[in-house]
Amino acid sequence: MFINNDYKKVLDLGCGIGQYTNYFIGKGYDVVATDISKKALDYLSNKNPKVKTVLQDMTDKLKFNDNEFDIVFAN
């Protein structure tokens, strides 16, 4: 996977239980993890209490400002 240390803030859209969220955090990125499933976000938060999570339906307008993130990741 592409890693560039010039970019620090990642938005993980549709993170599920956080496989890639945890990967990015492990590489030193500041990650905001989003998903439509509160259950998945709760699971992720219980496994990694430091992770920032946001309940987000991607068919709705995103709850973030333009240029807030260096990378937007969706798998």
Side-chain angles (χ1 to χ4, degrees):
M1 182 177 292
F2 173 76
I3 298 295
N4 183 331
N5 292 329
D6 294 336
Y7 304 117
K8 293 294 180 196
K9 193 153 184 189
V10 176
L11 175 62
D12 185 358
L13 293 173
C15 68
I17 61 171
Q19 300 94 321
Y20 290 105
T21 300
N22 289 324
Y23 172 81
F24 283 117
I25 289 171
K27 295 292 184 183
Y29 290 94
D30 179 20
V31 182
V32 175
T34 69
D35 203 275
I36 193 171
S37 170
K38 183 175 179 341
K39 188 173 182 177
L41 294 176
D42 288 345
Y43 177 88
L44 175 57
S45 293
N46 286 331
K47 288 287 190 182
N48 187 346
K50 294 180 181 179
V51 71
K52 299 170 199 152
T53 61
V54 175
L55 191 64
Q56 175 73 55
D57 181 341
M58 287 191 295
T59 63
D60 295 336
K61 183 178 180 191
L62 296 179
K63 302 172 183 178
F64 308 102
N65 297 321
D66 292 346
N67 301 319
E68 188 171 342
F69 297 95
D70 300 306
I71 298 169
V72 178
F73 178 82
N75 182 32

